[in-house]
Amino acid sequence: MRRCLLPLLLLTLLGTMLVSLSLGRYPLPPGEVLHFLLHQLGLGELEAQRQALLHNLIVDIRLPRVLAAVLVGAALSISGAAYQAVFRNPLVSPGLLGVLPGAATGAALGLVFSDSWWIMQVAAFATGFLAVAIGVGIAGLFGGSLVMLVLGGIISGALFTALLSLVKYVADPYNQLPAIVYWLMGSLATAELPDLARVAIPMGLGILLLASLGRALDALSMGDDEAATLGLPIRRVRYGVIALATLISALTVSLAGVIGWVGLLVPHIARLITGPGNRLLLPASALLGAIFLLLADGLARNLAETEIPIGIVTELLGIPAFLLVLHRARKGWV
C-alpha cells in the first residue's frame, strides 16, 4: 500500500490543482478547465473568443497563485518535517531558528524603503538567512548542541520580531503600514509568473534535495552516537538540512508573506499516513503540504465576498491541529 502512496498523492495534487483553477468569482466546470489545458497542448478544438476568456481567467489570474500555493505548501511542509527530524521534536516548525520573523523583517524593510517588488523579495531572503546565521552563531559559541541551537533560534527570532515592530512603528501609517500588515497575514494574490520563475528553480531543488536526505535523517534520528557509528557526517548533514530548509522557507516569505502552521501541521498528518520513516515522510509531506495550501487558498478566496488572507485560514485550521500535536507528543515520538 505504501508503494502506491506517493503516486496517489501526486494524482490527488493534480486533481486539486484542476479544481483550484476552476474556482473563483467566475466559476468554471473542471471539465472545461481540462479541455482548455488540453487545447493549450494542441489537443482538441476551442472557439477563439472563449479561448481568450479562458486564457485570461486560467493562465493570467489563477495559474500563478495555484503554482505559488503548490510551491509554498510543499516547501513549508517538507521544511517542517526535516526540522522535526533534525531536532527530534514533533513540536518544531520551520520558524524555529528565526527564519520567518527574519524574512518578514526584510520584506517590511523592502516595503518601507523601496517600491520594487524584486528588492523586497531579495531583502526578505537575505534577512531570513541572516536570522538563522545569528541563531546558529549563538549556538556555536556555546557548544553547538541541539539545545543551544533551539535557544539561539529563540534569541534570533526575538531580535527580528523586535526589529519588525520597529519597522512597523516608523512606517508611513497611511500607505506603508497597511501593506506591511497585509503582507504579514500571508497572501497568494500578488503571485505572478515572473516571480514564480525566479524562485521555482531554487525552491524546487531545495525540496528535492531535502526529500533525498530521508535515509540520513533516519540515521540521525537514532541519536548522534548511533549515527556516527554508521559513518554519517553528523554536523554536515544537520547544518546542510538546516541550510536547505532555511533557503526554501525564506523564499516562501518572499513569495507569499508569512503563512503559519503548515510546517507544523502537515508533517503530523503525513506521519499518521506513512509512519516515522523520513524516506517516505519527506516527499509525502511536500505533496500533502501542496494539497493543504491549495485547499486553504480555495477557502480564502470563496468564504467571503472579499478574499481572506490565507495566513488567517491556516492559523484557524492550525488551532485544532495543535491540540492533536499535544495529544501525540504525550505518547512520545511516533
Side-chain angles (χ1 to χ4, degrees):
M1 176 62 183
R2 290 185 176 178
R3 291 182 179 180
C4 302
L5 179 62
L6 294 182
L8 181 60
L9 287 175
L10 180 59
L11 289 175
T12 304
L13 173 59
L14 294 174
T16 308
M17 292 174 68
L18 181 63
V19 173
S20 295
L21 288 172
S22 70
L23 296 176
R25 294 298 168 217
Y26 188 91
L28 298 168
E32 186 174 15
V33 175
L34 181 60
H35 183 97
F36 169 79
L37 295 175
L38 292 174
H39 174 72
Q40 295 298 106
L41 297 174
L43 303 173
E45 297 295 328
L46 193 62
E47 191 253 329
Q49 186 175 359
R50 186 65 177 172
Q51 192 228 348
L53 173 64
L54 292 177
H55 188 279
N56 181 51
L57 280 174
I58 296 173
V59 177
D60 297 335
I61 297 175
R62 296 178 185 173
L63 182 61
R65 70 182 301 152
V66 167
L67 294 178
V70 170
L71 277 174
V72 172
L76 288 174
S77 300
I78 198 169
S79 295
Y83 266 104
Q84 290 171 8
V86 165
F87 290 94
R88 300 195 290 273
N89 189 329
L91 301 179
V92 166
S93 69
L96 176 69
L97 295 181
V99 60
L100 297 184
T105 301
L109 285 170
L111 290 170
V112 168
F113 292 107
S114 173
D115 294 329
S116 171
W117 200 251
W118 168 243
I119 290 177
M120 187 273 291
Q121 290 181 316
V122 172
F125 176 75
T127 51
F129 250 100
L130 177 62
V132 173
I134 290 174
V136 172
I138 291 172
L141 293 175
F142 298 95
S145 67
L146 287 180
V147 174
M148 287 298 106
L149 276 174
V150 172
L151 292 176
I154 291 173
I155 294 170
S156 177
L159 169 64
F160 280 90
T161 299
L163 292 176
L164 177 59
S165 298
L166 179 61
V167 174
K168 290 193 289 185
Y169 179 75
V170 301
D172 181 349
Y174 299 104
N175 297 314
Q176 296 170 341
L177 185 58
I180 293 172
V181 172
Y182 184 78
W183 180 259
L184 293 176
M185 290 189 288
S187 175
L188 299 170
T190 56
E192 296 182 355
L193 289 178
D195 297 326
L196 291 171
R198 283 194 291 264
V199 302
I201 293 177
M203 286 181 75
L205 287 176
I207 291 168
L208 290 174
L209 287 172
L210 280 179
S212 70
L213 291 172
R215 287 183 180 274
L217 287 174
D218 282 336
L220 196 63
S221 66
M222 295 186 297
D224 289 0
D225 293 337
E226 289 80 358
T229 60
L230 296 175
L232 186 73
I234 298 171
R235 290 178 64 86
R236 192 182 307 169
V237 170
R238 177 172 293 146
Y239 287 106
V241 169
I242 289 173
L244 287 171
T246 298
L247 166 68
I248 60 179
S249 296
L251 287 173
T252 65
V253 178
S254 72
L255 184 62
V258 180
I259 300 176
W261 289 98
V262 178
L264 177 63
L265 165 62
V266 176
H268 282 275
I269 298 175
R271 196 171 289 110
L272 289 172
I273 301 172
T274 68
N278 288 292
R279 186 182 177 189
L280 185 58
L281 172 64
L282 291 172
S285 294
L287 292 170
L288 279 172
I291 294 169
F292 174 80
L293 207 60
L294 282 172
L295 295 175
D297 184 52
L299 290 174
R301 283 189 283 158
N302 296 280
L303 277 178
E305 290 296 321
T306 58
E307 180 178 331
I308 303 172
I310 193 172
I312 295 176
V313 176
T314 58
E315 294 277 356
L316 291 174
L317 293 176
I319 292 171
F322 189 64
L323 296 176
L324 174 63
V325 171
L326 290 176
H327 174 70
R328 295 183 65 80
R330 285 195 317 155
K331 301 178 181 179
W333 183 265
V334 178

